[in-house]
Amino acid sequence: MDVAFVLYPRMTALDLVGPYEVLAHQPEVTAHFVAASPDPVTTDAGLAVVPTTTFAELDRADVIVVPGGGGWAEALADGVVAAWLRAVHPTATWTTSVCSGSTLLAQAGILAGRPATTHWALRDELAALGAVVRTDRVVVDGTVVTGAGVSAGIDLALTLVGLLWGDERARFTQLFIEYDPEPPHEVEVPGEPAADLVAFARGVFAGR
Amino acid sequence: MDVAFVLYPRMTALDLVGPYEVLAHQPEVTAHFVAASPDPVTTDAGLAVVPTTTFAELDRADVIVVPGGGGWAEALADGVVAAWLRAVHPTATWTTSVCSGSTLLAQAGILAGRPATTHWALRDELAALGAVVRTDRVVVDGTVVTGAGVSAGIDLALTLVGLLWGDERARFTQLFIEYDPEPPHEVEVPGEPAADLVAFARGVFAGR
């Protein structure tokens, strides 16, 4: 099973590594890290990761994972990720995104009229691109699975492991990565975040 | 504030990227990725990450983060990480580990007689190295903070943000990365895991 993890400049590393950690250890999986060129890709807080292939070389995948990140707007403007998704999505059993990665799926036409989720600060942007925005942490619709912001990629990938190989496998994976969270604070993602909070969060996305 | 993230072959990417995502965006932080050489380091399911400095070059840090991973036993045998930790730990305000990274802290003498946590499958190994093993997800003792397996690095780093900059900062960081988890299954980390489960998990560590 070929799993393609999409890389682009100023993506968020945890959007990639959450799903990677859950999926890439599965014995059936061959992980591909696909980018515009073979050069290392620097994520939005400085960690650089190394592609194993390029958009030009990889023309199919069983599972596609598109992370979000600080560079989401530049990736939309660039259009290279969406062009690749348009070509490769029809070959995939599952096409997935984490956080603002959903905007790239939408740009590729994959979310037209579909229910989908994204980071809480970018719901309006996703709606403007044609998706039916949900506030859920993970949304499964047909062969498309979208996750909310950043850490939601872990929940998304564990859901996908259950769909691919059943609940027992998903439970062991969850136990192995000790996903038995104890966040130090009570923080609930807002159903309708205040405008100033959204503006501040968008600033963090833009600036980092 | 210089934060040193330690890299070594076959470490677990999420052990690194959980804390990185929480810490490296903080405006005060300069992130350093420190390894034996400048060459990319391949983690235990294939993703390669790029060091920014070497153990020889970096002789101090305000915060040290030591990930665990499939390569923990080789890293112990190699001894290079522990030698660096022995030299640099006295310069640090906080020295931290995730998962089996605690065994490297222990090898460096940092956990002698101290309460500390680790992955549930490696508690006996950590005890044999002189730590007083706890089953908690995060243990703070003096200037040393240890986290349990893999995803616990997120909880550890959010705890550290609270200690460094206060609860309001920690709460916004937690909200920004949407750490409002909804694991798809009810999975509790065992207080006393069955021997066959521990053996299986150690096999996953060794083989991957």
Side-chain angles (χ1 to χ4, degrees):
Chain A
M1 181 178 304
D2 294 296
V3 180
F5 296 94
V6 171
L7 310 183
Y8 58 89
R10 297 213 310 123
M11 51 175 281
T12 292
L14 187 52
D15 292 19
L16 163 73
V17 170
Y20 156 83
E21 205 61 58
V22 169
L23 295 170
H25 289 285
Q26 308 297 337
E28 297 85 353
V29 167
T30 301
H32 304 270
F33 304 97
V34 55
S37 89
D39 300 330
V41 173
T42 302
T43 64
D44 59 11
L47 178 66
V49 296
V50 184
T52 56
T53 185
T54 63
F55 295 128
E57 286 167 356
L58 192 71
D59 62 2
R60 60 159 301 282
D62 297 299
V63 177
I64 299 168
V65 179
V66 183
W72 71 278
E74 295 95 316
L76 274 185
D78 178 76
V80 170
V81 172
W84 182 80
L85 286 171
R86 237 175 247 117
V88 177
H89 166 63
T91 75
T93 311
W94 295 101
T95 298
T96 76
S97 67
V98 180
C99 195
S100 52
S102 56
T103 63
L104 298 166
L105 261 54
Q107 188 182 30
I110 296 166
L111 299 183
R114 259 189 210 278
T117 189
T118 190
H119 192 282
W120 56 264
L122 295 169
R123 290 177 188 148
D124 290 352
E125 283 78 355
L126 184 60
L129 288 161
V132 180
V133 176
R134 299 275 189 257
T135 60
D136 305 78
R137 192 158 170 88
V138 177
V139 173
V140 181
D141 184 74
T143 65
V144 178
V145 191
T146 50
V150 195
S151 65
I154 301 173
D155 305 65
L156 175 149
L158 287 167
T159 302
L160 200 57
V161 168
L163 291 166
L164 284 164
W165 298 292
D167 284 355
E168 196 184 351
R169 178 84 73 95
R171 267 192 294 266
F172 178 76
T173 304
Q174 192 177 316
L175 177 61
F176 192 80
I177 66 164
E178 289 204 34
Y179 196 48
D180 181 18
E182 296 177 16
H185 298 285
E186 284 291 323
V187 171
E188 200 177 329
V189 172
E192 300 207 5
D196 59 346
L197 183 64
V198 169
F200 184 76
R202 284 187 196 171
V204 176
F205 269 121
R208 71 188 186 174
Chain B
M1 181 178 303
D2 294 295
V3 180
F5 296 94
V6 171
L7 310 183
Y8 57 89
R10 294 212 313 122
M11 51 176 282
T12 292
L14 187 52
D15 293 18
L16 163 72
V17 170
Y20 155 84
E21 204 62 59
V22 169
L23 295 170
H25 290 285
Q26 307 298 337
E28 298 85 352
V29 166
T30 302
H32 304 270
F33 304 98
V34 56
S37 89
D39 300 329
V41 173
T42 302
T43 64
D44 58 11
L47 178 66
V49 297
V50 184
T52 56
T53 185
T54 63
F55 294 129
E57 285 167 356
L58 192 72
D59 61 3
R60 60 159 299 283
D62 297 299
V63 177
I64 299 168
V65 179
V66 183
W72 71 277
E74 295 94 316
L76 273 185
D78 178 77
V80 170
V81 173
W84 182 80
L85 287 172
R86 237 176 248 117
V88 177
H89 166 62
T91 75
T93 311
W94 295 102
T95 298
T96 76
S97 66
V98 180
C99 195
S100 52
S102 55
T103 62
L104 298 167
L105 261 55
Q107 188 182 31
I110 296 166
L111 299 183
R114 260 190 208 277
T117 189
T118 190
H119 193 281
W120 55 264
L122 295 171
R123 290 176 188 149
D124 290 351
E125 282 79 353
L126 184 60
L129 288 162
V132 180
V133 177
R134 300 275 189 257
T135 59
D136 305 77
R137 191 157 170 88
V138 177
V139 173
V140 182
D141 185 73
T143 65
V144 178
V145 191
T146 50
V150 196
S151 65
I154 301 172
D155 305 67
L156 175 149
L158 288 167
T159 301
L160 200 57
V161 168
L163 291 167
L164 284 164
W165 298 291
D167 284 354
E168 195 183 351
R169 178 84 73 95
R171 267 192 293 267
F172 178 76
T173 304
Q174 190 177 318
L175 177 61
F176 193 79
I177 66 165
E178 290 204 34
Y179 195 49
D180 181 18
E182 296 176 17
H185 298 284
E186 285 291 323
V187 170
E188 202 177 327
V189 172
E192 300 208 4
D196 59 346
L197 184 63
V198 169
F200 185 76
R202 285 187 195 170
V204 176
F205 270 120
R208 69 186 188 177

